[in-house]
Amino acid sequence: MATEKKMLNCIMCPMGCELTVTIEDGAVTEVTGNTCPRGAKYGHDEIMSPTRMLTTTVKVEGGQLALLPVVSKSVLPKGKILDCAKELKKVTVKAPVKAGDVVAADILGLGIDIVASRDMAAV
Amino acid sequence: MSEMYDIIIVGGGPAGLSAAHSAVKNGAKKIIVLERDREAGGILQQCVHNGFGLHHFKEELTGPGYAQRCYDLIKDCPEVEVLVDTMVLEVHDNKEVIAVNPERGLMKLQAKTVILTMGCRERTRGAIRIPGYRPAGVYTAGAAQRMVNMEGYIPGHKIVILGSGDIGLIMARRMSLEGCKVQAVLEICPFSNGLTRNIVQCLNDYDIPLYLSHTITGIKGKDRVEGITVSKVDDKMRPIPGTEFDIECDTVLLSVGLIPENEISRELGIELHPRTNGPVVDQHRETSMTGIFAAGNVVHVHDLVDFVSDEAEIAGKYAALTALGKNAASDRDLAVTPGAGVNTCVPQHLRLSSESEAVRLFMRAAQPKRKVKLSIMSGGQEVMKKILPVVKPSEMISVEIPAEKTAALSDDITVSIEEA
């Protein structure tokens, strides 16, 4: 049996507990160093299926500004973040845009939409 | 005779917009917000990342999303006018404001009260005296952020970031997402002043090394940055000879602190605090000059915009009440002083009246500590205490003294933090 220990900094609150996660044969068996249950869950998820929000910009045509800030509707797999950012470089939207408008639906087939962070008036 | 405003607000960032909204809610009828940029929203418009608004709007928003929320609250209010592309040049003690705008030219506006919400700006290379040539490619992190997130330019391809505060960390991730190579983040302190969350998600995720207790001791390149020399520093932050090494880069981003922007306040002659570098204010955010209020990063640099909005709402409320002649006269003026373990505390004094009110104190700890007792003392008596699991200088602490306790206060106040 392959046992591995990984050190993580919990990011659930300002305490920033230092977690030690024990992984046996690819599965988390123990999380120590946490103060609360949220830390244990973070330690588990951060090893087994880490996720991140993505925020970036896309080009906008005919808008008051050159770029439109965008955000993923919910978290994406961490390993796909750079690919998603690359994909969004190909996107150009037309003004006007309202906050919450979908600028890229179901990005890379991950089931998550990328939406506008703000309104962008046309000029 | 020029028109009379109830309130003129100098700066249309989150503080100015939140103050305007609160002023309307408290009865002000004629408010103008003067903003020098092309649109309202302030620095939030270029902070495209998320993590804003959890306290104030109870929802996680991006910077532009937060700005939009603030703007939407006032955009349909007939009481509020927002004038963009407008630079305020002077504020006078009679509440006359001199501003300039490309369409209207030089303007003289008159109000009953003024709220200063100019925010803060970044320290530059000059402020930290990095030796070497002055090639192109050295930017403040915020200038680069505006280029990348709003104007559509990339400042360079191989980046070194000096300073590990949150702006530096956020920019490390931002440049990586844009396909740039971030070679390193350097921090002169033995610890980062950024949130752990940002160390994890902005540096570790992109395998960007963080050098603690290191600084730039030379910038190479004549026309364009070609690289930097890095040195380790001792516990007094002096470079240690013999520890130098070079890092190749074409761009250096500086994230080395923020300074409240108080040129107008200084000219006006209001009292500034030597430690916060902002106006001295009472619990209503009124400065040393009657009818002149201040809130947000111009008073003291915040880490959360949520607290900026909270403070600005206080300023907006009391500016409105003052303009309407409804502000209760104070009968005692008590100093609030940071004691052991506390670096700064805002407000710096309380002007209390017979009308009891809750007062919120915003402070910064002097050192990072775990398990501490924060105590508020007045006249040798403990007014209240709070046990906190952790304090860090980078994270502002907010504590509310309830109305029934402020009503009983008659002596100056000291706030201190010690191990529990």
Side-chain angles (χ1 to χ4, degrees), chain B residues 151-173:
Chain B
E151 315 293 346
Y153 300 99
I154 293 285
H157 299 283
K158 261 190 194 172
I159 323 273
V160 169
I161 299 174
L162 179 64
S164 68
D166 287 311
I167 309 171
L169 300 176
I170 293 286
M171 279 312 289
R173 173 174 63 190

Side-chain angles (χ1 to χ4, degrees), chain B residues 116 260 262-263 265-267 269-280 287-288 298 348:
Chain B
L116 305 173
N262 275 299
E263 282 70 20
S265 324
R266 224 168 265 126
E267 282 276 305
I270 57 178
E271 187 187 351
L272 299 181
H273 193 273
R275 235 186 260 177
T276 56
N277 291 311
V280 169
T287 67
S288 61
V298 80
Q348 288 90 353

Side-chain angles (χ1 to χ4, degrees), chain B residues 350-363:
Chain B
L350 308 182
R351 281 193 275 229
L352 298 169
S353 68
S354 52
E355 269 176 41
S356 60
E357 53 178 315
V359 167
R360 231 171 122 188
L361 303 180
F362 295 84
M363 60 221 111

